[in-house]
Amino acid sequence: MPPLFTSLINPRNTRLFHTTTLKMTYQLIALGNPLLDIQFNVDKAYLDKYDLKENDAILVEEKHMPIFGEGLANPNVKLVAGGAAQNSARGAQYILPPKSVLYFGAVGKDVYADKLTEANNKYGLDTAYQVLDDVPTGKCAALINGNNRSLATDLSACNHFKPAHLQKPENWASIEKASYFYIGGFHLTVSPEAIELLGKHAAKENKTFVVNFSAPFIPEFFKAPLDNTLKYTDIVIANESEAAAYAKSHGLENTTDVVEIAKAIAALPKVNTKKDRTVIFTQGTEETVAVTYVQATKEYKVQKFPVHVLDSKLIEDTNGAGDAFAGGFIAGLVQGKDLAGSIDQGQWLAKLSIQEVGPSFPFPKQTYTN
Ligand code: 26A
């Protein structure tokens, strides 16, 4: 039976179709865990009850499972498209011309995946999801507590993503035509092999390979796959707590200066020696630090950029702020902007996103001007 009919007959199947007719020429390829965010406000006592920090991202254990039901029963719950790299991909596509970004990840066949497709369609983001028949789409409880957000994720379908999906002829054709790759470090919990496949390709073809640390638990508990991935990176993006977690797990615990931590990462061995590596650390409202290791001179170039200040009364929530920064930044690279221009665009997009509910961007579309 043709897939169209099976999907209409099976009630679990989706209304929408997750494989878009791909144009095949995308400048930017992103890979991550497509999640639906179940976002609601909580207080400190709620976080304490579930052993959650105010600002963190974790993979759920059994004890956290009631959170999802409690969230869905909350009259003020908001269901918004999430997944860190998917948020960045939507952000980059928000800025770039149509059909610039293609996003890979795994989803189930359910209304959650429909919601993601709906949001992606709104931004014109094309996806090449690996669709699983019998595993639900992943979800993330985004627990908002003032200007903090605590993320508790049940990966479900995301966990089943396979490198073979990237190697399907139509997908690999898109990969071969792209020039930029953006990887959510969160995906190191799923398929380091898929990441390595893209990293090797990017290094061999002298394309730009960007990895975001995503959360402190990645450098802390996924040290080996992260270390293996770093040799392919041209650009590393992380925030201050992820930088500290990296320092702690790499024998740099006495190094509290983010510049020193950035230097250590920037100078790590590199497969593609035609490009220098730059490490970018955001620090909330503090200035963003960028350190490039210049291989030719064996010197470091250290730059600092102030953030775009926003009156805290105007903050809706900070869920997805870092992803928005990364999306705006990488869109800048695709547009041919320099490091300073790309970072500034990232900060602009983060400022827009924190005024929206969840990892979203305003309509009518706003245009970046520096
Ligand atoms: C593997 N884990 C834990 C995750 C995530 C994640 N995205 C991918 N993998 N945990 C939380 N998120 C997403 O991060 C965004 C905010 O930066 C949430 O879905 C949220 O939209």
Side-chain angles (χ1 to χ4, degrees):
M1 195 184 297
L4 171 65
F5 290 103
T6 26
S7 84
L8 288 175
I9 289 163
N10 183 344
R12 261 192 325 109
N13 279 352
T14 52
R15 279 182 295 110
L16 302 167
F17 297 95
H18 303 295
T19 14
T20 335
T21 313
L22 302 179
K23 200 191 88 178
M24 308 283 274
T25 311
Y26 298 90
Q27 297 224 63
L28 169 62
I29 299 282
L31 168 67
N33 304 321
L35 299 166
L36 187 75
D37 286 359
I38 299 173
Q39 180 173 315
F40 56 106
N41 291 317
V42 299
D43 56 17
K44 178 84 170 54
Y46 189 88
L47 296 170
D48 288 346
K49 180 174 147 199
Y50 285 106
D51 264 337
L52 296 170
K53 295 186 192 145
E54 288 196 302
N55 237 331
D56 203 6
I58 61 140
L59 288 167
V60 286
E61 295 162 35
E62 205 48 48
K63 66 177 182 190
H64 299 117
M65 291 317 263
I67 295 175
F68 296 108
E70 287 164 8
L72 292 171
N74 185 310
N76 299 316
V77 69
K78 287 153 191 155
L79 299 183
V80 277
Q86 184 169 239
N87 298 338
S88 300
R90 274 198 318 281
Q93 185 57 72
Y94 180 81
I95 292 171
L96 293 169
K99 305 273 176 200
S100 292
V101 189
L102 179 64
Y103 171 80
F104 287 101
V107 294
K109 285 184 171 173
D110 47 30
V111 288
Y112 279 22
D114 287 346
K115 280 239 161 229
L116 297 185
T117 300
E118 235 170 68
N120 291 333
N121 286 347
K122 183 172 161 196
Y123 292 88
L125 174 67
D126 281 357
T127 57
Y129 285 147
Q130 182 187 335
V131 183
L132 290 130
D133 284 326
D134 46 10
V135 189
T137 299
K139 54 191 183 297
C140 168
L143 308 171
I144 309 295
N145 174 232
N147 287 345
N148 298 315
R149 93 288 179 268
S150 197
L151 308 168
T153 294
D154 173 11
L155 283 173
S156 297
C158 300
N159 244 336
H160 298 263
F161 188 86
K162 294 286 176 288
H165 184 67
L166 298 174
Q167 289 166 312
K168 283 186 172 172
E170 67 275 24
N171 292 338
W172 196 256
S174 294
I175 290 163
E176 282 192 320
K177 287 179 188 155
S179 306
Y180 297 85
F181 294 88
Y182 178 78
I183 313 293
F186 276 133
H187 202 78
L188 287 164
T189 69
V190 173
S191 181
E193 300 80 10
I195 297 172
E196 182 155 39
L197 197 62
L198 295 178
K200 276 190 175 152
H201 168 78
K204 185 162 150 269
E205 303 295 332
N206 194 26
K207 297 175 174 182
T208 303
F209 191 70
V210 186
V211 172
N212 195 317
F213 278 6
S214 297
F217 84 84
I218 297 293
E220 206 172 341
F221 300 114
F222 291 81
K223 181 176 181 285
L226 176 64
D227 289 347
N228 183 51
T229 300
L230 284 172
K231 62 177 179 279
Y232 302 109
T233 56
D234 301 298
I235 296 180
V236 172
I237 303 176
N239 67 23
E240 74 280 32
S241 51
E242 293 149 15
Y246 180 93
K248 192 172 152 209
S249 62
H250 289 75
L252 305 166
E253 51 274 90
N254 296 327
T255 316
T256 46
D257 180 0
V258 283
V259 172
E260 294 307 312
I261 303 169
K263 281 183 177 175
I265 299 168
L268 287 171
K270 205 167 179 301
V271 175
N272 177 11
T273 50
K274 292 195 192 109
K275 289 186 202 295
D276 291 332
R277 182 186 291 115
T278 298
V279 176
I280 301 170
F281 287 152
T282 59
Q283 312 187 79
T285 53
E286 301 294 310
E287 60 196 359
T288 298
V289 170
V291 175
T292 304
Y293 179 64
V294 184
Q295 296 169 88
T297 58
K298 297 196 164 33
E299 281 170 357
Y300 297 96
K301 188 173 175 197
V302 179
Q303 290 168 275
K304 295 184 178 179
F305 306 92
V307 300
H308 291 209
V309 186
L310 177 72
D311 183 342
S312 68
K313 287 198 288 293
L314 295 174
I315 299 179
E316 175 68 41
D317 64 67
T318 57
N319 181 17
D323 306 333
F325 169 81
F329 169 80
I330 194 157
L333 294 185
V334 173
Q335 291 166 312
K337 292 187 199 294
D338 63 8
L339 186 70
S342 300
I343 287 178
D344 195 66
Q345 183 165 268
Q347 289 176 347
W348 170 80
L349 196 63
K351 183 176 166 180
L352 290 191
S353 177
I354 59 180
Q355 296 173 75
E356 302 291 309
V357 173
S360 314
F361 309 98
F363 284 94
K365 262 194 190 186
Q366 298 195 22
T367 312
Y368 171 80
T369 46
N370 59 357

